[in-house]
């Protein structure tokens, strides 16, 4: 089989850019918002009611630890939302 015909072989990466808390953050098409944040070195981006840091915990949409606002819509699970070029992401230290 020609390696280029392999259906699971990743194609060329397409660069995207998000705006996270007012700052441009690069990512790749196909990443989740959480993937872009983690790739930018963020490990946490909100707090629990008791003030403990939260970011990705389950990574599969169950725990809601990764909530962010995307384009003005609150409480979006960053691990489930595919990032799109130009998305505006707002994080907060306030409990959600
Ligand atoms: S990390 Fe658990 S819902 Fe996103």
């Amino acid at each position: 089989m020609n390696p280029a015909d392999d259906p699971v072989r990743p194609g060329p990466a397409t660069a995207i850019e998000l705006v996270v808390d007012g700052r441009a953050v690069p990512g790749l098409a196909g990443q989740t918002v959480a993937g872009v944040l983690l790739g930018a070195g963020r490990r946490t981006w909100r707090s629990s009611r008791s003030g403990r840091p939260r970011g990705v915990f389950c990574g599969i949409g169950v725990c809601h630890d990764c909530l962010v606002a995307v384009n003005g819509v609150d409480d979006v699970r960053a691990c489930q939302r595919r990032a799109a070029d130009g998305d505006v992401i707002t994080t907060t230290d306030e409990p959600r």
Side-chain angles (χ1 to χ4, degrees), residues 2-53:
N2 181 345
D5 296 333
D6 185 348
V8 296
R9 184 183 184 88
T14 302
I16 61 173
E17 186 174 271
L18 311 187
V19 178
V20 180
D21 298 330
R23 305 179 81 171
V25 175
L28 297 173
Q31 286 185 299
T32 62
V33 170
V36 172
L37 291 171
L38 291 169
R42 296 281 300 264
R43 297 295 177 261
T44 65
W45 47 82
R46 69 176 202 90
S47 298
S48 68
R49 288 187 186 140
S50 62
R52 303 200 53 161

Side-chain angles (χ1 to χ4, degrees), residues 34 55-67 77-80:
V56 171
F57 180 66
C58 72
I60 57 172
V62 175
C63 72
H64 292 68
D65 271 5
C66 63
L67 297 178
R77 290 170 290 174
C79 71
Q80 298 297 292

